[in-house]
Amino acid sequence: MSSQLNPSIDFSVRFHLQIYIYRKFSWVILLVRIISMRSYDWWQARLTKEFFGVDQAGRPLLFFVDDQEAVRLHGDAKVTDSIDDLCTAVAQEAIDWRGDAYRQIYREALVWKRSTQEGPPPCLPLLAVCVLAATRMRGEGGRGAHAYYVRLAELLRPPPGFQLDDHKKHLQRDYQTVETFWKYLDGWLKEREGTRGFSTLHTSKGRERIGYAQSQALVCAADHDRLAPFFKECQVREPVALLRGLRMWKGRPRLSARLRGALDKNNEDNLLGPLLISIAESDSRVPPVPNGLRRLPLRITAIDDPRNGWTLQWRAERVDGVDGDALTHSGGHLVVAARDTGALYTLSGDLPDLCQGLTAGVTARGERLGISLQPRRHPLILQEDPLGGWTEVEKVVPHTPSLILFDRQGEAEARSLVAREGFSWEEPEESSVDGWFVAADVEFTEGAGARARRPRLTGGLHLRLTGERRHYLVGGEPDLVLPPGVDVVRLDGAPISITGERTELRGRGLAAGEHMVDTEVGRLTFHLHASQDIVLEKTNSPKANSEQPLVQVSTVIDAEGRHTDLASTEPPVWWHERHTGLCGESSAMEIPDSAVWLVIDHPDGTIEVRMSHSEEPRITQVTPAMRKFWKVMFTIERPPPEKLWKRYLNAVLMGGRGRG
């Protein structure tokens, strides 16, 4: 009977043997690595200098490598160094022709990921060959994946014994790893915020793997300067309109043959459009923070003020080792100072204008810190911040309450984000910055599969009394949205019937307190509060003035539940709180005949409502602006004694159907 080693023992022996060999002969292994990857490493350094050097700061990445460019770059190699051409170096030194094709480069990339990442990921020669293959996709063969891998196989030749079709499949089988390399490069560029160039890497639906290489095969570096006059003439930043304008542009004949060829057809528009927008936007970006200064992270924070709505503010994160600095910008001098051991700086002096910062960016320089805040060309995602408010994030945390901040140009993209997460689009709310709006009550997921497995609450009359989520007024309960296939739901332990896509929780006699919704895929907890139990924080109100009347009507409400702000003899507090720039006195305004209720702001910050005349409510719908206003009315300190007021409150709940 033949004896065999136990598999686990056999593995242990081989593992420890490998460790012993590595430790004993590590210098030999390192020498072999240096010799075997000499040409590949030369190309890595050459491509880094050409496309990712410090001289590329503030410029868009155009990683264009065709046959002519590859020959030019190789011409810099010394004859005595015996450096192979680009494709030979990658094929013979980096591709694994026995196992996973890109395994060796992937190991190098993992080491790079654990390093300080001073330079770009060690995959540039391979990515350059991928772009070169994309530039060869002309003539017969089309521009699909099959044609691309044929060109790639023509460039990366294996040792003798492989047939063309065999090694094409070998290169294609593990190509998802190459997609990972592109993402590493994109992330590295973005983390450096333009100091090594701005990323223009794009892919598109159906070309998730080969799209990155194809996008870089469309525009060469010379096209960047040639396109500058066009971008000045055409200010539109929408792909279809931008491409239409470029095809009609009088300077088109001066563009490269590759770009002209792409414009002659439309089969690459889904890659070319976003690429052109990235190039155009990079020209209007603010310069990166110069060497020698630490970058000060300046972000947008939104505060949901119960009375003033969504108020935007600046938030500056503390930089280790820097307790404070004074930074000069176009609007004056910004002073940042650390307080105790807090994570944020306190801001004083001349704060950058919020509207200007969002649309044009912010550049500020101090002795130790610098700010290079890019213009916001796309909607911002803000998520609940443990330090208070909602703060913009670079990476979305799944299943966290979120806001989308956008201007009118970004509304289509904001709608797309909301629809992608399975939410219905609601009328956005205005923010304190003119022209910028907030889409609230959105949660992001890790993908469609994750979204399909989670129930959620939507709408309702929200209350944000603390940093916690899911607080509502009694009578303004949210709706329950269930994933497909869920048909058993318990509310506070009792089964409830399901009514289509949205199940109303309103009208079920729920009392103030905590409530739980249980399904087979998870539990949701929410809290209800009676209006008489709510105490809103008082805003900073001006002190009483003996020359002013003790009672001043600021707002009136009509029978349809709409409110109208009346002009007062003094500018309202929020004129100054929101830095509107308004000044002077406004003229008085008479109370209209349609006013049923008079809303009075008292000098002590409390609100009183008095009836002007009796008229039954005719509230048929409640807009987001009305909801925000009426949430305050539900919690005022001095409600009117008339029973008619309660009928108005109930009409608001009925008109809005409890939905936000």
Side-chain angles (χ1 to χ4, degrees):
M1 184 176 180
S2 61
S3 61
Q4 293 182 344
L5 287 174
N6 183 289
S8 61
I9 298 177
D10 183 40
F11 173 81
S12 177
V13 170
R14 285 187 286 108
F15 176 77
H16 287 89
L17 181 60
Q18 290 173 357
I19 295 295
Y20 171 78
I21 294 174
Y22 181 82
R23 290 176 176 174
K24 189 74 174 178
F25 303 102
S26 59
W27 65 273
V28 177
I29 295 173
L30 179 61
L31 181 61
V32 171
R33 161 66 179 81
I34 293 174
I35 296 175
S36 64
M37 298 286 284
R38 183 179 60 177
S39 293
Y40 184 92
D41 291 343
W42 183 92
W43 277 103
Q44 173 74 18
R46 184 67 186 89
L47 294 168
T48 297
K49 179 181 178 181
E50 182 73 18
F51 295 101
F52 304 96
V54 293
D55 57 330
Q56 296 298 316
R59 295 178 60 86
L61 167 67
L62 295 173
F63 195 21
F64 181 87
V65 179
D66 61 1
D67 290 281
Q68 183 178 355
E69 182 70 1
V71 171
R72 184 187 71 82
L73 294 173
H74 190 215
D76 292 346
K78 296 179 181 179
V79 177
T80 56
D81 290 342
S82 300
I83 298 299
D84 292 324
D85 65 81
L86 175 63
C87 296
T88 302
V90 174
Q92 294 187 359
E93 298 182 6
I95 299 299
D96 188 332
W97 294 106
R98 299 295 178 184
D100 294 334
Y102 313 103
R103 177 171 55 183
Q104 185 169 338
I105 305 176
Y106 184 66
R107 285 199 297 260
E108 300 282 334
L110 290 181
V111 174
W112 171 84
K113 287 283 285 183
R114 293 190 291 267
S115 70
T116 58
Q117 300 182 16
E118 293 297 327
C123 52
L124 297 186
L126 172 62
L127 299 185
V129 173
C130 294
V131 176
L132 178 57
T135 65
R136 289 191 173 191
M137 294 177 67
R138 294 191 288 269
E140 298 180 1
R143 298 199 55 79
H146 174 75
Y148 172 79
Y149 291 117
V150 168
R151 302 298 182 270
L152 185 64
E154 291 172 351
L155 296 173
L156 297 178
R157 295 285 183 173
F162 280 81
Q163 298 297 323
L164 175 62
D165 188 57
D166 292 338
H167 86 267
K168 179 185 78 70
K169 292 179 180 178
H170 183 73
L171 294 170
Q172 181 177 356
R173 187 180 304 114
D174 190 33
Y175 198 81
Q176 185 176 1
T177 305
V178 180
E179 180 187 358
T180 302
F181 295 154
W182 283 113
K183 293 178 179 179
Y184 285 171
L185 180 59
D186 183 56
W188 181 81
L189 287 168
K190 290 178 178 177
E191 287 176 0
R192 272 135 196 85
E193 299 186 319
T195 58
R196 297 293 191 94
F198 291 110
S199 177
T200 59
L201 299 176
H202 289 282
T203 187
S204 63
K205 187 176 182 179
R207 299 187 185 185
E208 289 80 4
R209 294 188 180 181
I210 66 175
Y212 290 108
Q214 289 181 321
S215 73
Q216 295 302 300
L218 298 173
V219 180
C220 66
D223 286 321
H224 177 229
D225 296 331
R226 296 166 184 165
L227 286 168
F230 168 72
F231 290 140
K232 290 182 179 179
E233 296 175 16
C234 182
Q235 294 295 320
V236 65
R237 294 297 180 260
E238 192 278 324
V240 175
L242 193 66
L243 286 168
R244 186 188 307 117
L246 185 56
R247 287 187 168 107
M248 300 171 59
W249 184 47
K250 61 182 180 181
R252 176 179 169 181
R254 295 193 297 271
L255 301 176
S256 67
R258 182 70 184 89
L259 180 53
R260 293 198 311 272
L263 291 171
D264 289 339
K265 303 177 181 180
N266 61 4
N267 60 342
E268 294 177 303
D269 284 4
N270 57 346
L271 290 173
L272 182 57
L275 175 63
L276 290 173
I277 290 178
S278 295
I279 297 172
E281 290 180 348
S282 69
D283 292 336
S284 61
R285 289 174 179 262
V286 303
V289 175
N291 292 332
L293 294 181
R294 306 277 297 279
R295 186 181 71 87
L296 173 62
L298 191 65
R299 304 182 188 277
I300 295 290
T301 292
I303 305 297
D304 188 11
D305 190 291
R307 290 172 180 161
N308 295 328
W310 290 108
T311 303
L312 304 186
Q313 301 175 352
W314 291 117
R315 194 190 87 156
E317 299 177 7
R318 187 169 179 173
V319 178
D320 291 340
V322 181
D323 292 332
D325 202 354
L327 298 89
T328 302
H329 59 92
S330 60
H333 301 278
L334 170 66
V335 179
V336 299
R339 179 177 296 178
D340 300 327
T341 59
L344 303 178
Y345 286 120
T346 58
L347 306 180
S348 59
D350 304 307
L351 273 65
D353 181 79
L354 280 163
C355 185
Q356 180 73 11
L358 285 167
T359 56
V362 177
T363 301
R365 302 290 183 260
E367 293 185 0
R368 304 184 65 185
L369 299 174
I371 298 174
S372 289
L373 190 67
Q374 301 301 331
R376 302 309 208 266
R377 306 298 186 192
H378 304 280
L380 302 180
I381 296 177
L382 289 73
Q383 295 192 307
E384 278 192 322
D385 193 325
L387 299 177
W390 307 65
T391 302
E392 64 173 308
V393 295
E394 296 177 356
K395 296 182 179 180
V396 174
V397 179
H399 311 305
T400 299
S402 305
L403 312 175
I404 301 178
L405 178 66
F406 62 95
D407 59 3
R408 284 304 182 193
Q409 291 184 342
E411 180 174 342
E413 188 175 349
R415 287 176 176 265
S416 177
L417 288 172
V418 171
R420 188 185 68 189
E421 297 302 323
F423 290 82
S424 58
W425 180 259
E426 305 286 352
E427 182 181 347
E429 303 175 51
E430 295 182 352
S431 75
S432 60
V433 176
D434 187 38
W436 288 80
F437 304 87
V438 172
D441 303 324
V442 179
E443 289 188 16
F444 293 89
T445 59
E446 297 169 313
R451 179 171 66 244
R453 292 192 296 269
R454 284 180 61 91
R456 60 184 176 88
L457 298 174
T458 184
L461 290 179
H462 281 265
L463 291 172
R464 294 185 177 93
L465 305 175
T466 66
E468 299 178 8
R469 56 189 296 195
R470 298 185 183 136
H471 288 255
Y472 306 87
L473 277 171
V474 171
E477 293 83 356
D479 290 348
L480 175 65
V481 179
L482 297 171
V486 176
D487 52 9
V488 178
V489 178
R490 293 181 177 274
L491 176 60
D492 295 333
I496 61 174
S497 59
I498 306 302
T499 56
E501 180 182 354
R502 295 167 66 122
T503 298
E504 291 188 5
L505 300 182
R506 182 178 175 274
R508 299 178 183 271
L510 299 180
E514 183 182 76
H515 298 274
M516 289 176 288
V517 176
D518 288 296
T519 69
E520 58 261 42
V521 292
R523 166 177 287 183
L524 293 173
T525 302
F526 64 96
H527 303 264
L528 297 180
H529 302 267
S531 58
Q532 62 270 22
D533 297 332
I534 304 299
V535 178
L536 295 177
E537 294 183 2
K538 294 181 174 59
T539 57
N540 295 327
S541 304
K543 295 181 179 180
N545 189 329
S546 58
E547 297 180 0
Q548 291 183 338
L550 292 179
V551 173
Q552 182 179 355
V553 177
S554 63
T555 306
V556 295
I557 306 172
D558 62 21
E560 295 182 357
R562 296 173 301 190
H563 62 285
T564 302
D565 294 327
L566 302 182
S568 62
T569 57
E570 292 291 336
V573 175
W574 57 264
W575 281 26
H576 308 292
E577 290 181 346
R578 299 190 185 188
H579 307 288
T580 61
L582 302 176
C583 59
E585 296 183 354
S586 54
S587 58
M589 181 177 179
E590 294 184 358
I591 297 176
D593 294 336
S594 61
V596 180
W597 304 100
L598 310 179
V599 182
I600 301 167
D601 285 322
H602 286 274
D604 62 358
T606 60
I607 297 177
E608 179 184 5
V609 174
R610 296 181 184 177
M611 187 173 71
S612 175
H613 73 271
S614 179
E615 185 175 352
E616 290 297 320
R618 302 191 307 273
I619 303 172
T620 57
Q621 65 175 349
V622 179
T623 66
M626 291 173 65
R627 277 196 300 274
K628 185 160 296 278
F629 171 80
W630 277 98
K631 278 190 286 187
V632 177
M633 294 299 100
F634 271 89
T635 59
I636 60 174
E637 297 83 355
R638 307 183 190 183
E642 291 84 3
K643 294 182 179 179
L644 180 63
W645 177 249
K646 293 184 178 180
R647 293 201 291 274
Y648 267 76
L649 297 179
N650 188 61
V652 169
L653 294 175
M654 294 296 294
R657 296 177 59 82
R659 295 181 180 179

